[in-house]
Amino acid sequence: ERMLSIEPKLTHALVMADARADEIEREGRLPPDLAEALIDSEVFRLWIPKRYGGLEASVTDMLDAIELAAYHDGATGWCVMIGGTTALNAGFLPAEFAEQIYGDPRAVTGGFGMPAGKGVPVDGGIRVSGEWAWGSGSSHCTWFGGGVMIEGKKGAPFVFFDMNDIEFLDTWHVAGMKGTASTHYRTTDAFVPEGRWVDFAASPDPITDSPLYRFSFLGALALGVSAVTIGLAERAIDELIQLAEKQPAGSSKGLAERPVIQSDLALAEANVRSARAFVREVVEQCWDAANLDGRLTDEQKRLLRLASTNAGRRSAEAVDLCYHAGG
């Protein structure tokens, strides 16, 4: 029901993304009005606790939204995934910081968890310097984070920085998915108050206790990536179907009439449908466990990663099949 409640506004934003895919790729970021439309749709609030004005939706709700976004435009789907999944931090941050960061109804967060930063303890917090890669969504986020090794402490928490303390670097020059704005970024002696971070390596208990935050955090991140790949593969299949309706010049037989094209298309569809079915089966089992038992077992976490990785591989195969079948 929660997903259905945002669907009209989300669909409006995604139709816009679809029509402007070339512009997104050319500009290397989501256009500001598209970013605003996505924020208006509340897709970035699906995994934020209700206590901070979020929707606290299910895992499946977010996967549906990511798949749909990636189908319309890959870069948009990736940005929805980054902003949506990092919002899980809201369930683990101390309440004052969760409210500060996610209480804003237009909040969008991003960042990269690799501990490329170094934190030095000072009075009231830490000072952080470092440089991170993969700053996806950097053009429209309101808060950004990065993994940090804090001097004298174990672990590598994900630390949230004020946007004014971040320098975004001109490093994102790639062949595709340019609109994700996944540039490098760095901080120099940035002050972060004590506790404005989450260390998932320490397996923290959620501050907001609900099934969503008892679900596997790292598993949810992997699922988000797999949802992007499934959306991309679905679009490739539909693009091939449209292409197959045409008759190549100099040929008496259209693509749709060629057995090899029919075979490749069928295999691509089977790849995507089976990959999604595996993901949803495991997600449903783990969601039930988060509701009933409060904790996921190591075996359940393994299956989440296995299903996510399988979805990525099967989706890539589907895209390759469609690409080559289309000539």
Side-chain angles (χ1 to χ4, degrees):
E1 288 182 17
R2 294 189 188 95
M3 181 60 207
L4 289 174
S5 71
I6 73 164
E7 200 161 352
K9 286 186 176 181
L10 179 59
T11 300
H12 167 75
L14 296 180
V15 168
M16 182 191 306
D18 202 325
R20 297 169 67 181
D22 290 343
E23 177 188 349
I24 293 169
E25 188 80 354
R26 184 176 63 252
E27 296 298 324
R29 57 176 288 178
L30 300 189
D33 59 329
L34 171 57
E36 289 297 310
L38 288 169
I39 292 169
D40 287 340
S41 78
E42 296 189 285
V43 69
F44 296 117
R45 303 196 68 74
L46 283 172
W47 279 359
I48 294 175
K50 293 178 181 177
R51 64 193 290 193
Y52 308 123
L55 300 177
E56 206 171 315
S58 71
V59 172
T60 301
D61 287 336
M62 178 60 80
L63 298 185
D64 286 344
I66 295 170
E67 277 187 32
L68 184 62
Y71 177 90
H72 283 280
D73 176 67
T76 301
W78 189 262
C79 288
V80 167
M81 182 274 294
I82 291 293
T85 56
T86 55
L88 280 176
N89 282 286
F92 295 86
L93 280 165
E96 63 174 304
F97 296 124
E99 179 66 45
Q100 179 187 17
I101 295 169
Y102 292 104
D104 177 1
R106 307 196 71 74
V108 186
T109 53
F112 189 51
M114 182 65 69
K118 179 180 178 181
V120 178
V122 296
D123 187 28
I126 57 175
R127 289 200 172 274
V128 180
S129 296
E131 183 175 318
W132 296 261
W134 320 122
S136 301
S138 57
S139 61
H140 56 265
C141 284
T142 56
W143 288 84
F144 229 67
V148 174
M149 300 290 291
I150 301 177
E151 191 176 278
K153 295 185 179 182
K154 294 182 179 180
F158 185 78
V159 172
F160 284 89
F161 303 109
D162 289 310
M163 295 300 287
N164 291 337
D165 289 331
I166 299 176
E167 178 185 4
F168 291 102
L169 310 176
D170 185 17
T171 60
W172 189 237
H173 306 288
V174 290
M177 298 282 278
K178 296 178 182 178
T180 62
S182 301
T183 185
H184 288 205
Y185 59 103
R186 67 182 170 215
T187 62
T188 303
D189 201 32
F191 176 73
V192 179
E194 183 73 28
R196 201 170 73 194
W197 55 71
V198 179
D199 188 357
F200 286 101
S203 300
D205 290 327
I207 302 297
T208 300
D209 187 24
S210 77
L212 180 59
Y213 309 108
R214 294 194 295 265
F215 199 86
S216 168
F217 181 89
L218 295 178
L221 298 185
L223 288 166
V225 174
S226 76
V228 174
T229 67
I230 289 173
L232 290 170
E234 285 186 316
R235 181 59 178 264
I237 290 170
D238 283 353
E239 291 285 345
L240 178 58
I241 290 172
Q242 291 183 32
L243 185 64
E245 295 172 352
K246 301 177 181 178
Q247 185 165 319
S251 174
S252 60
K253 184 181 291 187
L255 288 178
E257 301 174 74
R258 299 180 182 184
V260 66
I261 303 299
Q262 296 170 2
S263 175
D264 285 349
L265 183 59
L267 183 55
E269 183 179 0
N271 269 0
V272 174
R273 285 176 174 262
S274 60
R276 182 194 285 106
F278 185 18
V279 166
R280 298 308 170 93
E281 175 189 344
V282 177
V283 167
E284 183 176 340
Q285 293 173 357
C286 292
W287 184 252
D288 287 344
N291 274 277
L292 298 175
D293 303 327
R295 290 281 184 178
L296 271 60
T297 65
D298 288 343
E299 174 63 8
Q300 288 169 330
K301 293 177 182 178
R302 182 189 74 84
L303 286 172
L304 285 173
R305 298 302 292 268
L306 177 61
S308 299
T309 302
N310 177 70
R313 292 175 66 91
R314 298 290 83 79
S315 295
E317 289 175 3
V319 171
D320 285 346
L321 284 164
C322 293
Y323 179 80
H324 291 296

